[in-house]
Amino acid sequence: MSARIDFNCDLGEGCGDDAAILPYVTSANIACGGHAGDAATMRDTLRLCRAHGVAAGAHPGYADREHFGRRALALSGEQVVALVRDQLARLAAIAAEEGVALTHLKPHGALYNLAADDRETADAIAAAVAGFDPNLIVFGLAQSELTDAAARHGLRVAHEVFAERGYAGNGRLLPRGQPGAVIESLDEAVAQVRGLAVHGRVRAAGGASIELRADTLCLHGDRSDAPQFARAVRAALEAEGVRVAAL
């Protein structure tokens, strides 16, 4: 049973109501100008984080705005290092101007999913973080190549689970576009959150119950009902006696 969990959301992507979400989460993953975001949105989101006492982190993704970073690109390990380092540096510079200390990094979209299973990509992300700021926590899909790579590089690791994404029997997320990949029902999402935060288990496609480590719980901020989901998820966690706090 987990007595404490971080509640994070992907923000600064220009497609959600960040101000309405931030009062309910404890960590924000801020788009760094790759798949979404620019200097203005980074600055605005950092200021909101500071106002609400929310931990701010980098959310780098493939520089592919047309597909919102959800299409894998053929990059070498060295190119992935440069991609992550450059986007992290961009956000860190603005954060320093705003007096906000970055706490973590979480890859976005296709880069995140590839790093869950591809060791070279996972190592490249971890190397970029370790070379930039070894105090940053790496958020990665629970029990994946990325969490393993971060640990190998001596970084702090947060095993991440998801409030409104469906799972396959191997503990990976169902691909978007596949039935059940996105949970639209608030009641179903809250039930999944309770199972993950209290019992460390989730019901996967096909009915199997799988065990997952849950250090941080993600809600996607680009869905139109994200503020309502955020409020309900936070209330459900607190009702179960789970302490919701940044890592």
Side-chain angles (χ1 to χ4, degrees):
M1 174 177 176
S2 174
R4 169 179 172 163
I5 198 165
D6 176 45
F7 184 20
N8 78 76
C9 192
D10 304 336
L11 299 173
E13 296 176 320
C15 52
D17 190 348
D18 293 2
I21 296 167
L22 270 160
Y24 303 104
V25 301
T26 50
S27 293
N29 319 309
I30 303 172
C32 307
H35 70 285
D38 55 26
T41 59
M42 285 185 264
R43 193 175 302 279
D44 288 346
T45 311
L46 286 162
R47 288 176 176 175
L48 284 168
C49 288
R50 186 178 62 205
H52 290 283
V54 171
H59 194 41
Y62 288 121
D64 182 17
R65 289 172 178 258
E66 180 183 357
H67 297 92
F68 199 61
R70 288 179 174 158
R71 178 186 66 167
L73 303 181
L75 301 182
S76 67
E78 291 78 8
Q79 288 173 313
V80 171
V81 170
L83 177 85
V84 172
R85 182 192 61 228
D86 293 350
Q87 291 184 43
L88 177 54
R90 195 178 308 163
L91 180 66
I94 299 173
E97 293 173 1
E98 294 297 329
V100 177
L102 297 183
T103 61
H104 66 278
L105 177 141
K106 172 189 166 180
H108 167 80
L111 182 63
Y112 179 96
N113 291 328
L114 182 61
D117 291 312
D118 184 73
R119 182 167 181 155
E120 181 183 9
T121 301
D123 271 324
I125 293 169
V129 175
F132 187 86
D133 182 353
N135 294 312
L136 293 176
I137 306 167
V138 173
F139 287 18
L141 188 67
Q143 296 146 223
S144 68
E145 286 288 349
L146 181 55
T147 54
D148 288 349
R152 284 196 301 272
H153 282 79
L155 299 166
R156 290 179 62 195
V157 178
H159 291 259
E160 184 176 41
V161 294
F162 288 79
E164 27 70 87
R165 287 296 310 278
Y167 281 85
N170 62 356
R172 299 299 186 253
L173 298 177
L174 291 172
R176 287 181 180 272
Q178 186 170 321
V182 178
I183 298 173
E184 301 294 349
S185 163
L186 180 55
D187 289 343
E188 289 180 24
V190 167
Q192 178 158 296
V193 165
R194 288 195 180 104
L196 285 164
V198 178
H199 304 292
R201 304 195 71 86
V202 67
R203 183 73 63 183
S209 177
I210 57 176
E211 187 173 338
L212 291 175
R213 179 173 167 180
D215 298 322
T216 185
L217 171 76
C218 175
L219 171 71
H220 287 93
D222 61 326
R223 54 185 303 148
S224 61
D225 53 3
Q228 293 92 327
F229 267 62
R231 182 173 59 250
V233 166
R234 181 67 181 259
L237 289 168
E238 292 176 345
E240 292 291 343
V242 177
R243 181 183 172 212
V244 186
L247 297 168

